[in-house]
Amino acid sequence: MAEFLKVVSFQEARQKIIECFPRQGKERVYLTEAQRRVLASDVQSPEDLPAFHRTVVDGYAVLAEDTFGSSESLPAYLDYVGEVKMGQDAGLSLQKGQCCWIPTGGMLPAGSNAAVMVEYTEKLGEDTVLVYRPVGPWENIMQKGEDIKKEEVIFSAGSFLRAQDIGLLASLGISELPVFKPWRVGLISTGDEIVPIEETPTIGKVRDVNSHALAAAIKDCGAIPHNYPLVRDDFKVLKNTVELGLRENDLLIMSGGSSVGLMDVTLDVLLSFPEAEMLFHGIAVKPGKPTLAVKIGDKMVIGLPGHPVSALMMFHIVCAPALSPYPPLSIDARLELNLSSQAGRDDFVPVELREEKGEKLALPLLGKSGLMNILSQASGFIHIPYEKQGLVKGENTRVYLY
Amino acid sequence: MAEFLKVVSFQEARQKIIECFPRQGKERVYLTEAQRRVLASDVQSPEDLPAFHRTVVDGYAVLAEDTFGSSESLPAYLDYVGEVKMGQDAGLSLQKGQCCWIPTGGMLPAGSNAAVMVEYTEKLGEDTVLVYRPVGPWENIMQKGEDIKKEEVIFSAGSFLRAQDIGLLASLGISELPVFKPWRVGLISTGDEIVPIEETPTIGKVRDVNSHALAAAIKDCGAIPHNYPLVRDDFKVLKNTVELGLRENDLLIMSGGSSVGLMDVTLDVLLSFPEAEMLFHGIAVKPGKPTLAVKIGDKMVIGLPGHPVSALMMFHIVCAPALSPYPPLSIDARLELNLSSQAGRDDFVPVELREEKGEKLALPLLGKSGLMNILSQASGFIHIPYEKQGLVKGENTRVYLY
């Protein structure tokens, strides 16, 4: 083999991939295209929200000082000078001792700094309002900019934009945004035994599951997958495909090649690039040991195991943390079986989640290696750390959903 | 108002919407388009997986019976008759007393029913193999159809297809699938005070947040939103827009119209359709009381409150359970504040999630009503049930993520 094995822990593998991950381009998109995208720059509010002081109650706009000391038995007497209409400029200005009617959401007139709820007032004739309770300055008022201040950073670069974030941006009139371009990820399946899914495999052949499952997982990360034709165990063909893939994408993910021969050819091809730098070759995990990563210039190639269950799990363990803008989802559940594991290696075990009487239960999916039905049965996976020799039935365990 | 208020609990509202929800069309799509779609029919496996008996170890294919009673001190002597090659038809057939070499994944030859690991054997010359341990029938063998049986239902109608499910389908050569067509959802924002987001609202006006935030939330459910122009408080224009919207979509979601006048016009328009059937008008929740639903023929109109924070929350509480194929995500967290609430009404409170020393904490986002920044701060919401008068700081509470 061209280079010594550099077996690392999955945490190191993940960290190396994150550190050396290709940089994303930037683009400006219209607000409706910004959903589930990642901001490339901070976004500041272009305006104050609300744009003016407004009440949050129906009642009278007042100067708070005029109501100090008022009570049921000793109301404040204020001069009624008019009315603020909903959705219109207040259009008047209060002097000491004056008040005016104001509806919820109404614009506070100049001079006033509080609102008294109508319940605590009484109108006397045309010109006088009695106030039975004091209000403090700014009581019952939403002040200009109290919700969002002009020039306040409302989203930082790197934020993932959800539906509700789109709502906040709309409310501020932000109709165009700088976001990162989605990563382009080339997918190369290798192996003499792989056939396209439309073919019926003859004995010893298997269908090309990874091109489809990994493409779907890549789309789930908001990235754009691009499949290349299947490559057999041939240095020249593989080299040409990798060259093309590196040119057309930010990142290549290769899978398959469980045979030692193909693994050798793959490594030879990757390390034949003058800028190639092996990040790791082998991860001390079960399953997924034969995972590797090579940095080639400002691009990267990640090699995943051939078996689809392992390939997808390793994708989630080491690729998704760099590729996906979504925080990983995990929930805690009670383990339904004892699980043994070898110390000195991190184990990841697919589990099926159930809920029973409001309690979440995780059933490890074991059985003979190579079962494909685990793909559809698993809700996620659990992690048995390096230093442990297993987990005990009934233990609380974190399930990483996928 | 055209019809009496029929205030219901949110559970009743949700149930009525689910029961009367428009039916979805069906279509056939290629496997790569099936991700995040919902199956319209059961899918059966077209073949056995594996397609033949194969070993899961390197060793010798044998008749289990020939090894019974063998031990370190008294090995079984078997005649070596050849070799099965990886990826090829076994091409030979074993008789009693015979064995052959077989690699992991190799096809079991006719006549044999087990494999002995090479570690427990010894080759004597060219023609004899000693077996030091007995194996049971089918030991170390993955039997034909053991992973997935031909004609087994692998996915039921209604299944939501994830990346790994796409993988399983690929492995069985299923390249085309019957799925439900995505729902088309028309969005109509109403209200004299609403302006398009590109406009700077004059006093008393607000931007049309809901068209954008709800469209994004609808996309998150895998449905297709379609925005209609803003409608003012005008029976004829509103009626025309609703007619068009019903014709072009499966479902209409209207929002806004917090003013009693507009609410009346909206109701008048909806109930002017001869087939209109009011499902409910008002939900006993805070916020979001003015939510309503009307069935019109085989379509439905749902009216949401005007304020974006309430509109989105009610969308998640009563629309998403019918519209979204994704199971709702929830996690448990410890409440960081006391929360009071009025008995006789379900309260939903937006919360921000934090993690501290591995513990999840939920901070209720309170403050004056109408704050927009809650949109971006909230990770989800919690539910204070009808019969409770609040929740206590430190209580474990379920957070529904959005």
Side-chain angles (χ1 to χ4, degrees):
Chain A
M1 233 170 265
E3 182 140 343
F4 284 160
L5 286 181
K6 296 183 178 171
V7 177
V8 295
S9 71
F10 82 95
Q11 293 96 334
E12 285 172 82
R14 183 186 282 176
Q15 196 50 40
K16 274 174 190 278
I17 287 178
I18 289 173
E19 278 165 13
C20 299
F21 215 62
R23 294 174 66 102
Q24 279 173 294
K26 299 178 184 183
E27 60 185 337
R28 290 190 74 81
V29 295
Y30 185 66
L31 181 60
T32 50
E33 303 301 314
Q35 183 184 9
R36 305 179 81 85
R37 300 291 293 271
V38 177
L39 274 177
S41 321
D42 289 355
V43 171
Q44 291 182 303
S45 175
E47 53 194 56
D48 280 314
L49 202 70
F52 50 85
H53 301 325
R54 68 177 194 214
T55 61
V56 296
V57 295
D58 286 332
Y60 293 92
V62 298
L63 282 75
E65 298 76 355
D66 288 342
T67 67
F68 291 174
S70 64
S71 66
E72 284 288 336
S73 54
L74 199 68
Y77 281 67
L78 300 179
D79 295 335
Y80 179 79
V81 297
E83 179 181 356
V84 171
K85 290 223 169 63
M86 185 58 203
Q88 293 184 8
D89 190 285
L92 44 76
S93 170
L94 298 191
Q95 309 293 327
K96 193 166 166 38
Q98 294 183 331
C99 73
C100 70
W101 172 258
I102 191 164
T104 299
M107 179 181 187
L108 203 66
S112 74
N113 64 357
V116 187
M117 284 171 80
V118 65
E119 289 87 331
Y120 306 123
T121 65
E122 192 177 345
K123 188 120 182 258
L124 270 191
E126 290 294 295
D127 302 324
T128 307
V129 173
L130 273 57
V131 174
Y132 293 107
R133 276 202 192 181
V135 284
W138 307 112
E139 194 168 331
N140 297 324
I141 303 300
M142 170 101 74
Q143 292 183 64
K144 177 181 172 175
E146 181 175 339
D147 190 351
I148 291 165
K149 285 215 170 8
K150 187 174 175 171
E151 293 178 2
E152 179 183 334
V153 172
I154 46 171
F155 294 103
S156 314
S159 298
F160 169 73
L161 297 171
R162 307 165 301 162
Q164 50 270 49
D165 302 327
I166 299 297
L168 181 63
L169 291 160
S171 76
L172 294 164
I174 298 170
S175 58
E176 215 194 71
L177 289 161
V179 294
F180 287 114
K181 282 188 187 170
W183 272 292
R184 289 186 59 90
V185 184
L187 277 170
I188 302 178
S189 281
T190 60
D192 290 347
E193 76 282 21
I194 310 286
V195 300
I197 67 161
E198 292 80 1
E199 278 180 30
T200 301
T202 53
I203 286 164
K205 308 280 185 189
V206 292
R207 293 197 181 87
D208 177 24
V209 174
N210 284 336
S211 288
H212 290 83
L214 290 172
I218 287 165
K219 278 193 224 164
D220 277 342
C221 293
I224 301 170
H226 181 67
N227 281 300
Y228 288 87
L230 290 168
V231 181
R232 317 253 168 247
D233 184 354
D234 179 306
F235 182 91
K236 197 144 180 252
V237 177
L238 190 55
K239 172 114 189 190
N240 287 344
T241 308
V242 170
E243 271 177 347
L244 182 65
L246 285 172
R247 211 155 50 230
E248 295 183 338
N249 299 278
D250 302 303
L251 176 74
L252 281 187
I253 294 182
M254 302 179 67
S255 74
S258 55
S259 74
V260 175
L262 189 64
M263 190 71 161
D264 284 351
V265 173
T266 303
L267 267 181
D268 286 349
V269 164
L270 295 180
L271 297 178
S272 72
F273 289 87
E275 297 167 288
E277 179 194 339
M278 176 73 84
L279 298 178
F280 59 85
H281 179 194
I283 306 183
V285 292
K286 178 188 170 196
K289 188 165 179 296
T291 305
L292 62 84
V294 179
K295 184 168 154 53
I296 299 179
D298 56 0
K299 311 263 172 125
M300 187 184 287
V301 182
I302 297 173
L304 296 179
H307 194 277
V309 175
S310 311
L312 260 185
M313 201 179 306
M314 291 315 294
F315 177 86
H316 285 289
I317 292 165
V318 299
C319 301
L323 195 60
S324 175
Y326 317 128
L329 279 169
S330 64
I331 64 164
D332 291 343
R334 207 153 58 76
L335 194 62
E336 292 199 75
L337 287 180
N338 288 324
L339 273 181
S340 67
S341 123
Q342 199 178 300
R345 183 185 72 188
D346 287 273
D347 275 26
F348 293 93
V349 181
V351 296
E352 187 177 349
L353 272 178
R354 299 191 298 122
E355 192 156 332
E356 205 172 78
K357 294 179 193 148
E359 193 190 29
K360 293 201 162 97
L361 303 172
L363 178 69
L365 297 170
L366 302 168
K368 288 170 186 156
S369 87
L371 284 174
M372 295 293 289
N373 68 38
I374 285 178
L375 278 175
S376 64
Q377 273 179 52
S379 325
F381 55 86
I382 59 175
H383 173 208
I384 310 178
Y386 195 78
E387 68 280 7
K388 285 211 176 176
Q389 299 199 7
L391 298 174
V392 180
K393 180 177 169 175
E395 224 178 300
N396 199 39
T397 180
R398 186 150 286 191
V399 178
Y400 300 90
L401 302 176
Y402 59 37
Chain B
M1 233 168 263
E3 183 144 342
F4 284 160
L5 286 181
K6 297 183 178 171
V7 176
V8 295
S9 71
F10 80 94
Q11 294 96 334
E12 287 172 81
R14 184 185 280 176
Q15 197 49 40
K16 276 174 188 277
I17 287 178
I18 289 174
E19 279 165 15
C20 299
F21 216 62
R23 294 175 66 101
Q24 280 173 294
K26 299 178 183 183
E27 59 185 338
R28 290 190 74 83
V29 296
Y30 186 66
L31 182 60
T32 49
E33 303 302 316
Q35 183 185 10
R36 304 179 83 85
R37 299 291 292 273
V38 177
L39 274 178
S41 321
D42 289 355
V43 172
Q44 290 181 304
S45 174
E47 54 193 53
D48 280 315
L49 203 70
F52 50 85
H53 300 327
R54 67 179 194 213
T55 61
V56 296
V57 296
D58 286 331
Y60 292 93
V62 298
L63 281 75
E65 299 76 354
D66 288 342
T67 68
F68 290 175
S70 65
S71 66
E72 285 288 337
S73 53
L74 198 67
Y77 281 66
L78 299 179
D79 295 337
Y80 178 79
V81 297
E83 179 182 354
V84 170
K85 290 223 169 64
M86 185 58 204
Q88 292 183 9
D89 190 287
L92 44 75
S93 170
L94 298 191
Q95 308 293 326
K96 194 166 166 40
Q98 295 182 331
C99 72
C100 70
W101 172 257
I102 191 165
T104 299
M107 180 181 185
L108 202 66
S112 74
N113 65 356
V116 187
M117 285 174 77
V118 63
E119 289 87 332
Y120 306 124
T121 64
E122 190 177 346
K123 189 118 183 259
L124 270 192
E126 289 294 295
D127 302 324
T128 306
V129 174
L130 274 54
V131 174
Y132 293 107
R133 275 202 191 180
V135 283
W138 308 113
E139 194 167 331
N140 296 325
I141 303 301
M142 169 101 74
Q143 292 183 65
K144 176 179 173 177
E146 182 176 340
D147 191 350
I148 291 166
K149 287 216 168 7
K150 187 172 175 174
E151 292 178 6
E152 179 182 334
V153 172
I154 46 171
F155 294 103
S156 315
S159 298
F160 170 73
L161 298 171
R162 306 165 302 163
Q164 50 271 51
D165 302 327
I166 299 297
L168 182 62
L169 291 160
S171 75
L172 294 165
I174 298 171
S175 58
E176 215 193 73
L177 288 161
V179 294
F180 286 114
K181 282 188 186 169
W183 271 292
R184 290 186 59 89
V185 184
L187 277 169
I188 302 178
S189 281
T190 61
D192 290 347
E193 76 280 20
I194 311 286
V195 301
I197 68 161
E198 292 81 2
E199 278 181 30
T200 302
T202 52
I203 288 163
K205 308 280 186 191
V206 292
R207 293 196 181 88
D208 177 24
V209 174
N210 284 336
S211 288
H212 290 82
L214 290 173
I218 287 165
K219 279 194 225 165
D220 278 342
C221 293
I224 302 170
H226 181 67
N227 281 300
Y228 289 87
L230 290 168
V231 182
R232 316 256 170 244
D233 184 355
D234 179 305
F235 182 92
K236 198 146 177 246
V237 177
L238 190 54
K239 171 112 191 193
N240 287 345
T241 309
V242 170
E243 271 177 346
L244 183 65
L246 285 172
R247 212 158 44 232
E248 295 182 338
N249 300 277
D250 302 304
L251 176 75
L252 281 186
I253 294 182
M254 302 179 69
S255 75
S258 56
S259 75
V260 175
L262 189 63
M263 190 71 160
D264 284 349
V265 173
T266 303
L267 266 181
D268 286 348
V269 165
L270 296 180
L271 297 178
S272 72
F273 289 87
E275 296 167 289
E277 179 194 340
M278 176 75 83
L279 298 178
F280 60 84
H281 179 195
I283 306 183
V285 293
K286 177 189 171 194
K289 188 167 177 296
T291 305
L292 62 86
V294 178
K295 182 168 157 51
I296 299 180
D298 54 358
K299 311 265 173 124
M300 187 184 286
V301 181
I302 297 173
L304 296 178
H307 194 277
V309 175
S310 312
L312 261 184
M313 201 180 301
M314 291 315 295
F315 176 85
H316 286 288
I317 292 165
V318 299
C319 302
L323 195 60
S324 174
Y326 318 127
L329 279 169
S330 63
I331 63 165
D332 291 342
R334 207 153 58 76
L335 194 64
E336 292 200 77
L337 286 182
N338 289 323
L339 273 181
S340 66
S341 122
Q342 200 178 300
R345 184 186 70 190
D346 287 272
D347 275 27
F348 293 93
V349 181
V351 296
E352 186 177 350
L353 272 178
R354 299 191 299 122
E355 192 157 333
E356 205 172 77
K357 294 178 191 147
E359 193 190 29
K360 294 204 162 91
L361 302 172
L363 178 68
L365 298 170
L366 303 169
K368 288 170 188 156
S369 87
L371 285 174
M372 296 294 290
N373 68 39
I374 285 178
L375 278 175
S376 63
Q377 274 180 52
S379 325
F381 54 86
I382 59 174
H383 173 208
I384 311 177
Y386 195 79
E387 68 278 6
K388 285 211 177 177
Q389 300 200 6
L391 297 174
V392 180
K393 179 177 170 175
E395 224 177 298
N396 199 40
T397 181
R398 186 149 285 189
V399 179
Y400 300 90
L401 302 175
Y402 58 39

